[in-house]
Amino acid sequence: MDMDTRAASTPDHSAASPMSPPHAVSSSEAALYLFPGGHTTEILRLVGSLSRAYSPRHYVIAESDEMSASKIHALERSRAERDSPTKCPQYHLHRIPRSREVRQSWLSSVFTTLNSMWFSFPLVHRIKPDLVLCNGPGTCVPICVSALLLGILGIKKVIIVYVESICRVETLSLSGKILWHLSDFFIVQWPALKEKYPKSIYLGRIV
């Protein structure tokens, strides 16, 4: 069932897999944040590594992002036909305002990020996901901060997995620098970043 809604409405394999569902959970929900262009392609490839326990899947995109919406619908139709052709795809698509536009000034982005947070927290609170999986774009920050707040408020502990974009070889993105301090699992795709950030998880090129 697809539901498109507005929010207002050397690799290191020793670590436990961040994609594995929590113990004693028979049915989980994953919230995946997507962004236009390469970031969407990267994170959609990661969906295939998620346990089937994470269902239905919740995708969160920017309110004007039709390209990502089309890719999500196509992916879910393909998964449904391959895995269970007699069932409808189990996913939901949600939209929130962008926290920052390309070339937007840093000062004004503070206000747009707060606006995005205003929509993000009620959405995350309603879904109460077990896992938030994201990469790259700055707009995923409000979703992750909202997920962190659920734990701080004692509502639910949400596992936050951040995958740095494959484009980042030696330095972290701005989102990465922020979520390095907030995520439970921080995955990098280049050994140079693993050397700079020893607590990160290097699994090689995963997307």
Side-chain angles (χ1 to χ4, degrees), residues 49-70:
S49 66
L50 284 174
S51 166
R52 291 179 183 234
Y54 291 109
S55 180
R57 291 166 293 281
H58 292 264
Y59 297 91
V60 186
I61 63 175
E63 56 188 1
S64 59
D65 185 5
E66 295 304 327
M67 181 178 69
S68 291
S70 297

mmCIF file with all atom_site columns, all heavy atoms in Angstrom, residues 49-70:
data_model
loop_
_atom_site.group_PDB
_atom_site.id
_atom_site.type_symbol
_atom_site.label_atom_id
_atom_site.label_alt_id
_atom_site.label_comp_id
_atom_site.label_asym_id
_atom_site.label_entity_id
_atom_site.label_seq_id
_atom_site.pdbx_PDB_ins_code
_atom_site.Cartn_x
_atom_site.Cartn_y
_atom_site.Cartn_z
_atom_site.occupancy
_atom_site.B_iso_or_equiv
_atom_site.pdbx_formal_charge
_atom_site.auth_seq_id
_atom_site.auth_comp_id
_atom_site.auth_asym_id
_atom_site.auth_atom_id
_atom_site.pdbx_PDB_model_num
ATOM 1   N N   . SER A 1 49 ? 19.642 -3.795  1.333   1.00 0.00 ? 49 SER A N   1
ATOM 2   C CA  . SER A 1 49 ? 20.381 -4.451  2.415   1.00 0.00 ? 49 SER A CA  1
ATOM 3   C C   . SER A 1 49 ? 19.588 -4.482  3.714   1.00 0.00 ? 49 SER A C   1
ATOM 4   O O   . SER A 1 49 ? 20.020 -5.088  4.693   1.00 0.00 ? 49 SER A O   1
ATOM 5   C CB  . SER A 1 49 ? 21.717 -3.731  2.656   1.00 0.00 ? 49 SER A CB  1
ATOM 6   O OG  . SER A 1 49 ? 21.501 -2.425  3.147   1.00 0.00 ? 49 SER A OG  1
ATOM 7   N N   . LEU A 1 50 ? 18.425 -3.838  3.737   1.00 0.00 ? 50 LEU A N   1
ATOM 8   C CA  . LEU A 1 50 ? 17.611 -3.826  4.954   1.00 0.00 ? 50 LEU A CA  1
ATOM 9   C C   . LEU A 1 50 ? 16.958 -5.177  5.193   1.00 0.00 ? 50 LEU A C   1
ATOM 10  O O   . LEU A 1 50 ? 16.541 -5.855  4.255   1.00 0.00 ? 50 LEU A O   1
ATOM 11  C CB  . LEU A 1 50 ? 16.516 -2.765  4.847   1.00 0.00 ? 50 LEU A CB  1
ATOM 12  C CG  . LEU A 1 50 ? 16.932 -1.306  5.036   1.00 0.00 ? 50 LEU A CG  1
ATOM 13  C CD1 . LEU A 1 50 ? 15.741 -0.403  4.736   1.00 0.00 ? 50 LEU A CD1 1
ATOM 14  C CD2 . LEU A 1 50 ? 17.435 -1.054  6.446   1.00 0.00 ? 50 LEU A CD2 1
ATOM 15  N N   . SER A 1 51 ? 16.864 -5.562  6.448   1.00 0.00 ? 51 SER A N   1
ATOM 16  C CA  . SER A 1 51 ? 16.146 -6.781  6.810   1.00 0.00 ? 51 SER A CA  1
ATOM 17  C C   . SER A 1 51 ? 14.678 -6.635  6.413   1.00 0.00 ? 51 SER A C   1
ATOM 18  O O   . SER A 1 51 ? 14.115 -5.542  6.446   1.00 0.00 ? 51 SER A O   1
ATOM 19  C CB  . SER A 1 51 ? 16.252 -7.016  8.317   1.00 0.00 ? 51 SER A CB  1
ATOM 20  O OG  . SER A 1 51 ? 15.311 -7.982  8.729   1.00 0.00 ? 51 SER A OG  1
ATOM 21  N N   . ARG A 1 52 ? 14.045 -7.737  6.069   1.00 0.00 ? 52 ARG A N   1
ATOM 22  C CA  . ARG A 1 52 ? 12.621 -7.709  5.715   1.00 0.00 ? 52 ARG A CA  1
ATOM 23  C C   . ARG A 1 52 ? 11.756 -7.378  6.916   1.00 0.00 ? 52 ARG A C   1
ATOM 24  O O   . ARG A 1 52 ? 10.570 -7.103  6.774   1.00 0.00 ? 52 ARG A O   1
ATOM 25  C CB  . ARG A 1 52 ? 12.201 -9.057  5.126   1.00 0.00 ? 52 ARG A CB  1
ATOM 26  C CG  . ARG A 1 52 ? 12.814 -9.301  3.759   1.00 0.00 ? 52 ARG A CG  1
ATOM 27  C CD  . ARG A 1 52 ? 12.390 -10.650 3.218   1.00 0.00 ? 52 ARG A CD  1
ATOM 28  N NE  . ARG A 1 52 ? 13.043 -10.901 1.943   1.00 0.00 ? 52 ARG A NE  1
ATOM 29  C CZ  . ARG A 1 52 ? 12.394 -11.211 0.835   1.00 0.00 ? 52 ARG A CZ  1
ATOM 30  N NH1 . ARG A 1 52 ? 11.084 -11.263 0.842   1.00 0.00 ? 52 ARG A NH1 1
ATOM 31  N NH2 . ARG A 1 52 ? 13.048 -11.452 -0.279  1.00 0.00 ? 52 ARG A NH2 1
ATOM 32  N N   . ALA A 1 53 ? 12.365 -7.434  8.121   1.00 0.00 ? 53 ALA A N   1
ATOM 33  C CA  . ALA A 1 53 ? 11.610 -7.071  9.323   1.00 0.00 ? 53 ALA A CA  1
ATOM 34  C C   . ALA A 1 53 ? 11.231 -5.599  9.303   1.00 0.00 ? 53 ALA A C   1
ATOM 35  O O   . ALA A 1 53 ? 10.279 -5.189  9.956   1.00 0.00 ? 53 ALA A O   1
ATOM 36  C CB  . ALA A 1 53 ? 12.428 -7.377  10.578  1.00 0.00 ? 53 ALA A CB  1
ATOM 37  N N   . TYR A 1 54 ? 11.997 -4.802  8.545   1.00 0.00 ? 54 TYR A N   1
ATOM 38  C CA  . TYR A 1 54 ? 11.682 -3.377  8.452   1.00 0.00 ? 54 TYR A CA  1
ATOM 39  C C   . TYR A 1 54 ? 10.607 -3.161  7.392   1.00 0.00 ? 54 TYR A C   1
ATOM 40  O O   . TYR A 1 54 ? 10.884 -2.906  6.219   1.00 0.00 ? 54 TYR A O   1
ATOM 41  C CB  . TYR A 1 54 ? 12.939 -2.571  8.100   1.00 0.00 ? 54 TYR A CB  1
ATOM 42  C CG  . TYR A 1 54 ? 13.938 -2.536  9.219   1.00 0.00 ? 54 TYR A CG  1
ATOM 43  C CD1 . TYR A 1 54 ? 15.142 -3.230  9.121   1.00 0.00 ? 54 TYR A CD1 1
ATOM 44  C CD2 . TYR A 1 54 ? 13.685 -1.823  10.384  1.00 0.00 ? 54 TYR A CD2 1
ATOM 45  C CE1 . TYR A 1 54 ? 16.060 -3.200  10.155  1.00 0.00 ? 54 TYR A CE1 1
ATOM 46  C CE2 . TYR A 1 54 ? 14.602 -1.795  11.421  1.00 0.00 ? 54 TYR A CE2 1
ATOM 47  C CZ  . TYR A 1 54 ? 15.788 -2.485  11.293  1.00 0.00 ? 54 TYR A CZ  1
ATOM 48  O OH  . TYR A 1 54 ? 16.688 -2.455  12.321  1.00 0.00 ? 54 TYR A OH  1
ATOM 49  N N   . SER A 1 55 ? 9.381  -3.294  7.817   1.00 0.00 ? 55 SER A N   1
ATOM 50  C CA  . SER A 1 55 ? 8.249  -3.119  6.910   1.00 0.00 ? 55 SER A CA  1
ATOM 51  C C   . SER A 1 55 ? 7.019  -2.756  7.734   1.00 0.00 ? 55 SER A C   1
ATOM 52  O O   . SER A 1 55 ? 6.796  -3.339  8.797   1.00 0.00 ? 55 SER A O   1
ATOM 53  C CB  . SER A 1 55 ? 8.005  -4.409  6.126   1.00 0.00 ? 55 SER A CB  1
ATOM 54  O OG  . SER A 1 55 ? 6.910  -4.265  5.248   1.00 0.00 ? 55 SER A OG  1
ATOM 55  N N   . PRO A 1 56 ? 6.247  -1.767  7.272   1.00 0.00 ? 56 PRO A N   1
ATOM 56  C CA  . PRO A 1 56 ? 6.412  -1.009  6.032   1.00 0.00 ? 56 PRO A CA  1
ATOM 57  C C   . PRO A 1 56 ? 7.558  -0.012  6.130   1.00 0.00 ? 56 PRO A C   1
ATOM 58  O O   . PRO A 1 56 ? 7.983  0.364   7.208   1.00 0.00 ? 56 PRO A O   1
ATOM 59  C CB  . PRO A 1 56 ? 5.068  -0.289  5.883   1.00 0.00 ? 56 PRO A CB  1
ATOM 60  C CG  . PRO A 1 56 ? 4.602  -0.105  7.293   1.00 0.00 ? 56 PRO A CG  1
ATOM 61  C CD  . PRO A 1 56 ? 5.040  -1.336  8.020   1.00 0.00 ? 56 PRO A CD  1
ATOM 62  N N   . ARG A 1 57 ? 8.036  0.410   4.971   1.00 0.00 ? 57 ARG A N   1
ATOM 63  C CA  . ARG A 1 57 ? 9.116  1.390   4.902   1.00 0.00 ? 57 ARG A CA  1
ATOM 64  C C   . ARG A 1 57 ? 8.530  2.787   4.763   1.00 0.00 ? 57 ARG A C   1
ATOM 65  O O   . ARG A 1 57 ? 7.564  2.992   4.051   1.00 0.00 ? 57 ARG A O   1
ATOM 66  C CB  . ARG A 1 57 ? 10.029 1.065   3.706   1.00 0.00 ? 57 ARG A CB  1
ATOM 67  C CG  . ARG A 1 57 ? 10.828 -0.204  3.907   1.00 0.00 ? 57 ARG A CG  1
ATOM 68  C CD  . ARG A 1 57 ? 11.452 -0.700  2.625   1.00 0.00 ? 57 ARG A CD  1
ATOM 69  N NE  . ARG A 1 57 ? 10.447 -1.146  1.653   1.00 0.00 ? 57 ARG A NE  1
ATOM 70  C CZ  . ARG A 1 57 ? 9.829  -2.321  1.708   1.00 0.00 ? 57 ARG A CZ  1
ATOM 71  N NH1 . ARG A 1 57 ? 10.101 -3.170  2.684   1.00 0.00 ? 57 ARG A NH1 1
ATOM 72  N NH2 . ARG A 1 57 ? 8.940  -2.665  0.796   1.00 0.00 ? 57 ARG A NH2 1
ATOM 73  N N   . HIS A 1 58 ? 9.153  3.737   5.435   1.00 0.00 ? 58 HIS A N   1
ATOM 74  C CA  . HIS A 1 58 ? 8.715  5.134   5.364   1.00 0.00 ? 58 HIS A CA  1
ATOM 75  C C   . HIS A 1 58 ? 9.805  5.964   4.696   1.00 0.00 ? 58 HIS A C   1
ATOM 76  O O   . HIS A 1 58 ? 10.930 6.031   5.197   1.00 0.00 ? 58 HIS A O   1
ATOM 77  C CB  . HIS A 1 58 ? 8.442  5.688   6.763   1.00 0.00 ? 58 HIS A CB  1
ATOM 78  C CG  . HIS A 1 58 ? 7.252  5.064   7.422   1.00 0.00 ? 58 HIS A CG  1
ATOM 79  N ND1 . HIS A 1 58 ? 6.002  5.640   7.386   1.00 0.00 ? 58 HIS A ND1 1
ATOM 80  C CD2 . HIS A 1 58 ? 7.125  3.910   8.125   1.00 0.00 ? 58 HIS A CD2 1
ATOM 81  C CE1 . HIS A 1 58 ? 5.147  4.864   8.047   1.00 0.00 ? 58 HIS A CE1 1
ATOM 82  N NE2 . HIS A 1 58 ? 5.807  3.810   8.499   1.00 0.00 ? 58 HIS A NE2 1
ATOM 83  N N   . TYR A 1 59 ? 9.466  6.560   3.578   1.00 0.00 ? 59 TYR A N   1
ATOM 84  C CA  . TYR A 1 59 ? 10.404 7.424   2.861   1.00 0.00 ? 59 TYR A CA  1
ATOM 85  C C   . TYR A 1 59 ? 10.035 8.877   3.124   1.00 0.00 ? 59 TYR A C   1
ATOM 86  O O   . TYR A 1 59 ? 8.856  9.245   3.057   1.00 0.00 ? 59 TYR A O   1
ATOM 87  C CB  . TYR A 1 59 ? 10.331 7.161   1.357   1.00 0.00 ? 59 TYR A CB  1
ATOM 88  C CG  . TYR A 1 59 ? 10.733 5.763   0.943   1.00 0.00 ? 59 TYR A CG  1
ATOM 89  C CD1 . TYR A 1 59 ? 9.794  4.748   0.853   1.00 0.00 ? 59 TYR A CD1 1
ATOM 90  C CD2 . TYR A 1 59 ? 12.051 5.461   0.620   1.00 0.00 ? 59 TYR A CD2 1
ATOM 91  C CE1 . TYR A 1 59 ? 10.149 3.461   0.463   1.00 0.00 ? 59 TYR A CE1 1
ATOM 92  C CE2 . TYR A 1 59 ? 12.424 4.188   0.223   1.00 0.00 ? 59 TYR A CE2 1
ATOM 93  C CZ  . TYR A 1 59 ? 11.471 3.190   0.150   1.00 0.00 ? 59 TYR A CZ  1
ATOM 94  O OH  . TYR A 1 59 ? 11.832 1.921   -0.239  1.00 0.00 ? 59 TYR A OH  1
ATOM 95  N N   . VAL A 1 60 ? 11.031 9.701   3.404   1.00 0.00 ? 60 VAL A N   1
ATOM 96  C CA  . VAL A 1 60 ? 10.798 11.122  3.647   1.00 0.00 ? 60 VAL A CA  1
ATOM 97  C C   . VAL A 1 60 ? 11.599 11.917  2.628   1.00 0.00 ? 60 VAL A C   1
ATOM 98  O O   . VAL A 1 60 ? 12.821 11.766  2.531   1.00 0.00 ? 60 VAL A O   1
ATOM 99  C CB  . VAL A 1 60 ? 11.223 11.539  5.071   1.00 0.00 ? 60 VAL A CB  1
ATOM 100 C CG1 . VAL A 1 60 ? 10.831 12.982  5.330   1.00 0.00 ? 60 VAL A CG1 1
ATOM 101 C CG2 . VAL A 1 60 ? 10.601 10.619  6.106   1.00 0.00 ? 60 VAL A CG2 1
ATOM 102 N N   . ILE A 1 61 ? 10.907 12.758  1.869   1.00 0.00 ? 61 ILE A N   1
ATOM 103 C CA  . ILE A 1 61 ? 11.564 13.552  0.829   1.00 0.00 ? 61 ILE A CA  1
ATOM 104 C C   . ILE A 1 61 ? 11.125 15.003  0.946   1.00 0.00 ? 61 ILE A C   1
ATOM 105 O O   . ILE A 1 61 ? 10.172 15.326  1.654   1.00 0.00 ? 61 ILE A O   1
ATOM 106 C CB  . ILE A 1 61 ? 11.236 13.020  -0.586  1.00 0.00 ? 61 ILE A CB  1
ATOM 107 C CG1 . ILE A 1 61 ? 9.739  13.148  -0.864  1.00 0.00 ? 61 ILE A CG1 1
ATOM 108 C CG2 . ILE A 1 61 ? 11.696 11.568  -0.729  1.00 0.00 ? 61 ILE A CG2 1
ATOM 109 C CD1 . ILE A 1 61 ? 9.342  12.751  -2.290  1.00 0.00 ? 61 ILE A CD1 1
ATOM 110 N N   . ALA A 1 62 ? 11.826 15.878  0.240   1.00 0.00 ? 62 ALA A N   1
ATOM 111 C CA  . ALA A 1 62 ? 11.449 17.282  0.201   1.00 0.00 ? 62 ALA A CA  1
ATOM 112 C C   . ALA A 1 62 ? 10.121 17.425  -0.537  1.00 0.00 ? 62 ALA A C   1
ATOM 113 O O   . ALA A 1 62 ? 9.823  16.670  -1.466  1.00 0.00 ? 62 ALA A O   1
ATOM 114 C CB  . ALA A 1 62 ? 12.531 18.108  -0.486  1.00 0.00 ? 62 ALA A CB  1
ATOM 115 N N   . GLU A 1 63 ? 9.315  18.396  -0.142  1.00 0.00 ? 63 GLU A N   1
ATOM 116 C CA  . GLU A 1 63 ? 7.950  18.512  -0.652  1.00 0.00 ? 63 GLU A CA  1
ATOM 117 C C   . GLU A 1 63 ? 7.859  18.733  -2.157  1.00 0.00 ? 63 GLU A C   1
ATOM 118 O O   . GLU A 1 63 ? 6.854  18.390  -2.765  1.00 0.00 ? 63 GLU A O   1
ATOM 119 C CB  . GLU A 1 63 ? 7.204  19.623  0.092   1.00 0.00 ? 63 GLU A CB  1
ATOM 120 C CG  . GLU A 1 63 ? 7.867  20.969  0.039   1.00 0.00 ? 63 GLU A CG  1
ATOM 121 C CD  . GLU A 1 63 ? 7.179  21.982  0.953   1.00 0.00 ? 63 GLU A CD  1
ATOM 122 O OE1 . GLU A 1 63 ? 6.202  21.587  1.618   1.00 0.00 ? 63 GLU A OE1 1
ATOM 123 O OE2 . GLU A 1 63 ? 7.613  23.141  0.996   1.00 0.00 ? 63 GLU A OE2 1
ATOM 124 N N   . SER A 1 64 ? 8.924  19.283  -2.767  1.00 0.00 ? 64 SER A N   1
ATOM 125 C CA  . SER A 1 64 ? 8.877  19.535  -4.211  1.00 0.00 ? 64 SER A CA  1
ATOM 126 C C   . SER A 1 64 ? 9.671  18.510  -5.011  1.00 0.00 ? 64 SER A C   1
ATOM 127 O O   . SER A 1 64 ? 9.870  18.676  -6.218  1.00 0.00 ? 64 SER A O   1
ATOM 128 C CB  . SER A 1 64 ? 9.428  20.945  -4.504  1.00 0.00 ? 64 SER A CB  1
ATOM 129 O OG  . SER A 1 64 ? 10.773 21.056  -4.039  1.00 0.00 ? 64 SER A OG  1
ATOM 130 N N   . ASP A 1 65 ? 10.102 17.452  -4.374  1.00 0.00 ? 65 ASP A N   1
ATOM 131 C CA  . ASP A 1 65 ? 11.004 16.482  -5.001  1.00 0.00 ? 65 ASP A CA  1
ATOM 132 C C   . ASP A 1 65 ? 10.229 15.368  -5.696  1.00 0.00 ? 65 ASP A C   1
ATOM 133 O O   . ASP A 1 65 ? 10.016 14.296  -5.142  1.00 0.00 ? 65 ASP A O   1
ATOM 134 C CB  . ASP A 1 65 ? 11.940 15.916  -3.940  1.00 0.00 ? 65 ASP A CB  1
ATOM 135 C CG  . ASP A 1 65 ? 12.982 14.984  -4.531  1.00 0.00 ? 65 ASP A CG  1
ATOM 136 O OD1 . ASP A 1 65 ? 13.035 14.854  -5.769  1.00 0.00 ? 65 ASP A OD1 1
ATOM 137 O OD2 . ASP A 1 65 ? 13.739 14.387  -3.748  1.00 0.00 ? 65 ASP A OD2 1
ATOM 138 N N   . GLU A 1 66 ? 9.831  15.608  -6.929  1.00 0.00 ? 66 GLU A N   1
ATOM 139 C CA  . GLU A 1 66 ? 9.073  14.612  -7.683  1.00 0.00 ? 66 GLU A CA  1
ATOM 140 C C   . GLU A 1 66 ? 9.967  13.528  -8.268  1.00 0.00 ? 66 GLU A C   1
ATOM 141 O O   . GLU A 1 66 ? 9.529  12.401  -8.490  1.00 0.00 ? 66 GLU A O   1
ATOM 142 C CB  . GLU A 1 66 ? 8.273  15.289  -8.801  1.00 0.00 ? 66 GLU A CB  1
ATOM 143 C CG  . GLU A 1 66 ? 7.192  16.229  -8.291  1.00 0.00 ? 66 GLU A CG  1
ATOM 144 C CD  . GLU A 1 66 ? 6.224  15.533  -7.338  1.00 0.00 ? 66 GLU A CD  1
ATOM 145 O OE1 . GLU A 1 66 ? 5.964  14.324  -7.517  1.00 0.00 ? 66 GLU A OE1 1
ATOM 146 O OE2 . GLU A 1 66 ? 5.747  16.190  -6.394  1.00 0.00 ? 66 GLU A OE2 1
ATOM 147 N N   . MET A 1 67 ? 11.240 13.863  -8.534  1.00 0.00 ? 67 MET A N   1
ATOM 148 C CA  . MET A 1 67 ? 12.146 12.876  -9.111  1.00 0.00 ? 67 MET A CA  1
ATOM 149 C C   . MET A 1 67 ? 12.368 11.709  -8.145  1.00 0.00 ? 67 MET A C   1
ATOM 150 O O   . MET A 1 67 ? 12.293 10.543  -8.527  1.00 0.00 ? 67 MET A O   1
ATOM 151 C CB  . MET A 1 67 ? 13.495 13.515  -9.449  1.00 0.00 ? 67 MET A CB  1
ATOM 152 C CG  . MET A 1 67 ? 14.477 12.544  -10.088 1.00 0.00 ? 67 MET A CG  1
ATOM 153 S SD  . MET A 1 67 ? 16.044 13.314  -10.529 1.00 0.00 ? 67 MET A SD  1
ATOM 154 C CE  . MET A 1 67 ? 16.723 13.635  -8.898  1.00 0.00 ? 67 MET A CE  1
ATOM 155 N N   . SER A 1 68 ? 12.625 12.035  -6.865  1.00 0.00 ? 68 SER A N   1
ATOM 156 C CA  . SER A 1 68 ? 12.824 10.977  -5.876  1.00 0.00 ? 68 SER A CA  1
ATOM 157 C C   . SER A 1 68 ? 11.543 10.168  -5.689  1.00 0.00 ? 68 SER A C   1
ATOM 158 O O   . SER A 1 68 ? 11.586 8.948   -5.526  1.00 0.00 ? 68 SER A O   1
ATOM 159 C CB  . SER A 1 68 ? 13.255 11.574  -4.533  1.00 0.00 ? 68 SER A CB  1
ATOM 160 O OG  . SER A 1 68 ? 14.554 12.110  -4.626  1.00 0.00 ? 68 SER A OG  1
ATOM 161 N N   . ALA A 1 69 ? 10.398 10.839  -5.718  1.00 0.00 ? 69 ALA A N   1
ATOM 162 C CA  . ALA A 1 69 ? 9.123  10.146  -5.558  1.00 0.00 ? 69 ALA A CA  1
ATOM 163 C C   . ALA A 1 69 ? 8.942  9.103   -6.660  1.00 0.00 ? 69 ALA A C   1
ATOM 164 O O   . ALA A 1 69 ? 8.526  7.973   -6.398  1.00 0.00 ? 69 ALA A O   1
ATOM 165 C CB  . ALA A 1 69 ? 7.973  11.146  -5.579  1.00 0.00 ? 69 ALA A CB  1
ATOM 166 N N   . SER A 1 70 ? 9.270  9.469   -7.886  1.00 0.00 ? 70 SER A N   1
ATOM 167 C CA  . SER A 1 70 ? 9.138  8.531   -9.007  1.00 0.00 ? 70 SER A CA  1
ATOM 168 C C   . SER A 1 70 ? 10.052 7.327   -8.835  1.00 0.00 ? 70 SER A C   1
ATOM 169 O O   . SER A 1 70 ? 9.666  6.186   -9.102  1.00 0.00 ? 70 SER A O   1
ATOM 170 C CB  . SER A 1 70 ? 9.459  9.248   -10.329 1.00 0.00 ? 70 SER A CB  1
ATOM 171 O OG  . SER A 1 70 ? 8.540  10.286  -10.573 1.00 0.00 ? 70 SER A OG  1
#
